[in-house]
Amino acid sequence: MAKLDIELFPCRSDNFGVLIHDPETGATASIDAPEEQPILDALKRRGWTLTHILTTHHHTDHVDANLALKTRYEATIIGPENEAKKIPGIDMTIGDGGDFEFAGHKVHVFETPGHTAGHICFYFPDDKLLFSADTLFALGCGRLFEGTPAQMWASLQKLMALPDDTVVYFGHEYTLSNARFAVTVDPHNAALKSRAAEIEALRARGAFTAPTTLGLEKTTNPFLRPHDAAIRAHLHMDNASDAEVFAEIRKRKDNF
Ligand code: ZN
Ligand code: FE
């Protein structure tokens, strides 16, 4: 099994486009399809032909180019079972715990409700890759449009069970504002402080903050740390449940 090649590029105002390519078979998947032209440009730059679209959820900024790309390439669209009716051009649905193969690479699906009711994340265990879209961001998590804090916390816990060296590609370049918020709830975390400084520098020169790793998120992302004693003390929530602390952090971020 060959290593997957990955092309990361900006789409729309703050979405990431991601292409994954298997050099042995030529299979190429777009993780979501935020915008047609940048995806066409990326395919051309690498000399790849689109064969699949892996859709994470129904929001327009993730499915806008589905039909145009499907028409142009006859790409197969694989997407979430629990919001399949809202995914333009969907060919194959998959739900929680579902497995399939992309060019011989194992893919495992986690349903992660919270941002939307049927949001899914794609995990490639042999490649140690996770595509978390709008569930888990660098130093953040998705807004709760269709779910409760308890649901989102349960979803994030599924992802937290994966190995620390899992490389995570996420849906939006929100990392700078996430970092500025994170230090307000976890002000004494040295690893977070140094990461926040790095992110300021990266964004000042226009570099991407993706990908990240699960290990780095576990030590610095407050949304994965509601059990942390220092965060709990800072929020005066020593005796609350993890889900309650998570809900408080999410609420503060909504008002940040
Ligand atoms: Zn979304
Ligand atoms: Fe989005």
Side-chain angles (χ1 to χ4, degrees):
M1 191 181 65
K3 196 173 179 297
L4 293 170
D5 292 323
I6 298 181
E7 179 77 3
L8 178 72
F9 49 95
C11 287
R12 307 174 77 98
S13 58
D14 51 31
N15 281 76
F16 283 117
V18 189
L19 295 175
I20 59 173
H21 173 81
D22 177 66
E24 265 167 21
T25 62
T28 303
S30 183
I31 310 299
D32 287 327
E35 188 182 7
E36 187 182 20
Q37 194 58 51
I39 295 172
L40 296 179
D41 293 344
L43 288 164
K44 193 170 173 204
R45 196 156 64 234
R46 299 301 297 255
W48 298 343
T49 302
L50 191 72
T51 56
H52 295 79
I53 297 172
L54 307 185
T55 300
T56 61
H57 67 293
H58 70 82
H59 286 161
T60 306
D61 63 311
H62 296 259
V63 301
D64 208 28
N66 273 21
L67 293 180
L69 291 170
K70 184 170 177 163
T71 302
R72 198 184 280 265
Y73 292 102
E74 295 179 33
T76 300
I77 302 179
I78 302 172
E81 184 173 277
N82 283 333
E83 50 193 52
K85 287 196 182 76
K86 298 175 178 172
I87 310 298
I90 194 165
D91 296 297
M92 181 185 137
T93 66
I94 190 138
D96 194 40
D99 290 295
F100 65 97
E101 280 194 2
F102 167 73
H105 296 248
K106 243 188 267 169
V107 187
H108 183 81
V109 167
F110 293 101
E111 193 174 63
T112 55
H115 178 70
T116 65
H119 191 297
I120 58 174
C121 296
F122 296 97
Y123 176 52
F124 290 61
D126 299 329
D127 304 276
K128 297 196 169 213
L129 281 172
L130 174 69
F131 297 96
S132 63
D134 290 4
T135 294
L136 174 64
F137 297 126
L139 294 179
C141 76
R143 272 182 197 270
L144 304 180
F145 290 114
E146 299 176 11
T148 64
Q151 275 175 327
M152 185 57 130
W153 173 235
S155 295
L156 291 171
Q157 283 177 283
K158 290 184 191 176
L159 305 182
M160 288 166 71
L162 300 176
D164 282 356
D165 60 351
T166 304
V167 172
V168 184
Y169 286 85
F170 45 91
H172 291 268
E173 181 58 80
Y174 291 156
T175 314
L176 185 57
S177 67
N178 287 346
R180 288 174 179 171
F181 168 73
V183 297
T184 68
V185 292
D186 194 9
H188 306 298
N189 181 336
L192 171 60
K193 271 193 238 177
S194 72
R195 188 178 182 199
E198 260 168 51
I199 287 160
E200 295 276 352
L202 281 173
R203 295 306 297 147
R205 58 171 208 267
F208 301 140
T209 62
T212 180
T213 66
L214 213 49
L216 183 59
E217 294 311 313
K218 285 189 208 169
T219 55
T220 56
N221 185 334
F223 294 96
L224 302 189
R225 298 167 56 72
H227 51 273
D228 180 73
I231 293 178
R232 288 167 159 264
H234 184 74
L235 299 177
H236 307 290
M237 295 184 78
D238 302 84
N239 299 315
S241 69
D242 288 350
E244 288 166 341
V245 177
F246 172 82
E248 174 64 21
I249 298 171
R250 186 60 257 178
K251 192 175 87 191
R252 287 181 182 223
K253 177 65 167 72
D254 291 341
N255 300 319
F256 183 66

